[in-house]
Amino acid sequence: MLIEAKGLKKTYKNNKGVRIEALRNANVAVRENECVGLFGSSGSGKSTIGQIMVGLLPPDEGSISYRGKSVKIPYGKGIRREIQMLYQHPEVSFNPKLTLLRSLIEPYQLMGIDPSRERILEDNYRFGIYAEHLERYPGELSGGELQRAALARILVLKPRFIVLDEPTSMLDAISQAQVVQILREIQKETGVGYLFITHNKALCQAFSSRFYRIREGITEEVSSL
Amino acid sequence: MIKNIWKEFRKNRAFRLGVILLLFFISMAVLAPVIAPYDPEALLGMPNQRPSAAHWLGTNDIGQDIFSELVYGSRISLKVGIVAALAVTTLGSTIGMVAGYYKGVVDKVFTVLTNVAMTIPSLPLTILLVGFLKTGMLGMVVAICITAWAGTARVVRAKVLQIRELPYIQIEKLMGVSDFKVLFKHIVPNIADIVMTRCALSVGGAMMTETSLSFLGLGSFTQKSWGNILHFAFYRNGVINNMWWWYLPPILCISGCMLGFVLVTHYGRSRSQLIKG
């Protein structure tokens, strides 16, 4: 198993100070080279699971194991870059004050890879990001371009597991198809595992090989949606 | 940012008036030796003269030219205002950024400190601090800095709390980017408009405090400032004798300059609703 979350519980305090249970008993497991769908309605706790599994939120109870070893949040340096997330809103996935090039350079610098413009252009070519896009600010790019650039940026880190938090819900049909196609190609090439969070039943069934349904913070593995 | 400021200058009348007022007073301070007809310290003869061609705003009780005092006074008033505002903004922004970014215990400690600082009336505390610190510009700047940072800290904290939850900051954390880089590369550019607006407001506030302190006799007696002119106009019977040319011009200059800084904040107001402290 690549990553496994067991018995996750998470509560939040609302504005009145009352504790709201976001997760009551969530169990999700993803193998290498597998796409697992997590399907549920708004407010069911889908994104909370994603944020816990990538290490952004500590659970109140429950455990996470990565490649057979129990891990604690925040994740240590060794696995930090191997677990990434693609967000629902591409327009806020990039710093609005930086050009695309300045945002794309960061993972290269972190990984000690040559951050030259030529190298970035070469790597981004397959994602439909070209020279004319690099000097633009996020506000000057389309949702599809930004989402493809966001995916290209996290792939520099060579992740083994990516949480896809409704990555196509804000895109038009053509951009959706492009992003899904790229995600499939990358999985074939690298064996990366995906947790595909969505409330789109058809897309979840088409893209995932196994499914979890989440209702009121409780997950259940199902054979079909 | 320069593009944004120019755009705002063209379309926002209040901002435009503010910039013009500030340019007027800054030019007055920079070009003081050219504009002032006399040395402000020179004793030129007859005291308490009315305005005339030789002395546009008359002379004070020891025969110094009031117009020259006023022109040179803009230097100290603006210098104290700008230096204190920079110090206040740096301190307040740093505290607000650290509290908002790290949340938890750090935030709780800074929030309590900020709330306590905001409940203490600032002028009496500044007077007390100036009494203990060395007189002069440095003492005044330190005292203003200690008493005026809280508003900026609160506004910056609120904005950072909002920004830190945005995906582009979360992505930086997921990539393992250091907190220092996240704060200075990704958060600072996104709060720059608010920080600049707060800084402009702080200049006005610091100038007002400097004037108040100088008026009360807690400023530097060796350097002319607008508050200092008012102090002597009041304590040497200029007000009682209705010598309006002595006390009115510094009041108008302080008001004009304050108005300039307040109007300039319209730039930030149109870009963010988070400037009230």
Side-chain angles (χ1 to χ4, degrees):
Chain A
M1 202 59 74
L2 177 64
I3 189 163
E4 189 169 12
K6 274 186 190 165
L8 296 183
K9 280 189 185 177
K10 183 73 188 171
T11 55
Y12 293 109
K13 260 188 194 171
N14 69 6
N15 291 341
K16 290 171 186 168
V18 178
R19 287 209 161 267
I20 306 286
E21 278 189 315
L23 294 180
R24 288 156 68 195
N25 181 22
N27 302 284
V28 174
V30 181
R31 297 188 192 94
E32 284 187 25
N33 207 13
E34 183 186 39
C35 182
V36 173
L38 179 60
F39 175 81
S41 53
S42 296
S44 57
K46 307 187 294 290
S47 292
T48 304
I49 294 183
Q51 291 199 319
I52 291 173
M53 289 182 81
V54 293
L56 281 174
L57 269 183
D60 295 340
E61 278 179 42
S63 63
I64 310 260
S65 61
Y66 178 68
R67 304 178 79 193
K69 284 182 187 164
S70 175
V71 285
K72 289 263 179 289
I73 293 171
Y75 294 154
K77 265 193 174 173
I79 61 166
R80 174 61 286 156
R81 289 171 193 164
E82 293 183 6
I83 300 174
Q84 293 297 317
M85 187 161 180
L86 192 62
Y87 283 82
Q88 180 181 12
H89 297 280
E91 71 281 5
V92 280
S93 292
F94 289 91
N95 184 341
K97 302 282 182 187
L98 300 183
T99 60
L100 189 62
L101 179 64
R102 284 196 66 198
S103 288
L104 289 177
I105 274 176
E106 269 187 340
Y108 288 85
Q109 290 169 334
L110 287 169
M111 296 294 283
I113 305 170
D114 165 33
S116 68
R117 190 185 161 86
E118 292 69 35
R119 173 70 194 259
I120 291 170
L121 271 175
E122 192 186 319
D123 289 351
N124 279 268
Y125 184 79
R126 70 181 295 192
F127 297 95
I129 303 297
Y130 311 118
E132 67 262 30
H133 298 119
L134 293 186
E135 301 307 328
R136 293 190 198 160
Y137 288 88
E140 298 165 341
L141 293 159
S142 72
E145 286 163 346
L146 286 170
Q147 197 63 301
R148 295 197 303 273
L151 182 58
R153 178 170 60 172
I154 59 176
L155 287 174
V156 178
L157 301 165
K158 301 194 187 318
R160 303 178 77 101
F161 172 63
I162 303 177
V163 171
L164 306 168
D165 190 0
E166 308 206 38
T168 57
S169 64
M170 305 301 286
L171 307 180
D172 58 80
I174 295 171
S175 299
Q176 274 190 18
Q178 284 173 337
V179 170
V180 167
Q181 180 60 27
I182 292 172
L183 287 168
R184 280 192 172 131
E185 284 172 16
I186 288 160
Q187 191 169 48
K188 224 179 241 179
E189 290 165 22
T190 63
V192 63
Y194 294 137
L195 176 66
F196 185 60
I197 296 173
T198 184
H199 59 247
N200 183 334
K201 200 183 274 185
L203 189 62
C204 190
Q205 276 177 324
F207 188 54
S208 315
S209 50
R210 280 195 305 123
F211 317 100
Y212 290 92
R213 181 183 280 138
I214 179 164
R215 274 198 197 122
E216 293 174 356
I218 300 173
T219 55
E220 174 194 7
E221 188 167 0
V222 290
S223 53
S224 72
L225 292 169
Chain B
M1 183 170 286
I2 290 166
K3 213 168 94 183
N4 286 337
I5 292 173
W6 176 241
K7 206 170 139 191
E8 199 68 21
F9 184 82
R10 285 197 307 174
K11 72 168 189 193
N12 188 331
R13 251 193 299 178
F15 178 65
R16 194 161 57 230
L17 178 62
V19 170
I20 291 167
L21 274 171
L22 291 186
L23 284 177
F24 171 76
F25 286 109
I26 290 167
S27 309
M28 186 170 160
V30 173
L31 302 172
V34 181
I35 299 169
Y38 304 102
D39 176 355
E41 304 289 343
L43 307 175
L44 301 165
M46 285 291 285
N48 296 332
Q49 286 185 61
R50 296 182 71 86
S52 63
H55 302 288
W56 293 355
L57 294 174
T59 58
N60 65 12
D61 62 314
I62 53 170
Q64 292 170 327
D65 182 62
I66 294 173
F67 178 70
S68 302
E69 278 191 307
L70 194 74
V71 172
Y72 273 93
S74 63
R75 287 187 155 189
I76 291 300
S77 296
L78 274 173
K79 205 192 278 180
V80 171
I82 290 169
V83 173
L86 288 175
V88 163
T89 309
T90 307
L91 180 68
S93 302
T94 307
I95 289 174
M97 267 168 57
V98 170
Y101 184 72
Y102 288 103
K103 296 210 308 191
V105 181
V106 178
D107 184 32
K108 277 181 186 158
V109 170
F110 280 131
T111 303
V112 168
L113 269 176
T114 309
N115 289 342
V116 169
M118 289 192 89
T119 55
I120 298 170
S122 64
L123 189 60
L125 180 62
T126 315
I127 291 169
L128 203 70
L129 286 167
V130 167
F132 278 102
L133 296 163
K134 270 187 177 177
T135 52
M137 200 176 105
L138 184 67
M140 227 184 274
V141 168
V142 172
I144 292 170
C145 194
I146 291 172
T147 54
W149 59 270
T152 302
R154 204 159 78 159
V155 171
V156 169
R157 172 188 168 270
K159 187 68 184 168
V160 173
L161 276 173
Q162 184 194 343
I163 292 176
R164 78 184 294 283
E165 301 303 332
L166 290 173
Y168 69 86
I169 299 295
Q170 304 286 333
I171 289 168
E172 296 299 318
K173 288 182 188 170
L174 288 177
M175 289 198 295
V177 175
S178 68
D179 288 347
F180 184 82
K181 201 169 177 183
V182 173
L183 277 167
F184 286 93
K185 187 175 174 185
H186 298 283
I187 290 183
V188 167
N190 286 289
I191 59 168
D193 289 330
I194 286 172
V195 170
M196 277 173 58
T197 305
R198 290 296 309 181
C199 189
L201 275 176
S202 301
V203 178
M207 283 181 68
M208 202 62 203
T209 308
E210 185 276 330
T211 304
S212 309
L213 292 172
S214 294
F215 177 73
L216 293 169
L218 293 162
S220 170
F221 283 97
T222 55
Q223 291 170 308
K224 300 279 182 193
S225 73
W226 292 335
N228 190 280
I229 299 172
L230 270 179
H231 170 81
F232 287 111
F234 189 79
Y235 289 100
R236 304 270 171 86
N237 301 327
V239 177
I240 289 173
N241 293 324
N242 198 25
M243 294 163 73
W244 55 265
W245 55 88
W246 194 356
Y247 64 80
L248 201 57
I251 291 175
L252 290 176
C253 282
I254 293 159
S255 307
C257 210
M258 290 276 293
L259 180 67
F261 281 110
V262 169
L263 290 177
V264 158
T265 62
H266 273 257
Y267 163 70
R269 198 163 277 158
S270 68
R271 296 181 66 76
S272 169
Q273 293 302 308
L274 276 167
I275 61 154
K276 287 177 188 166

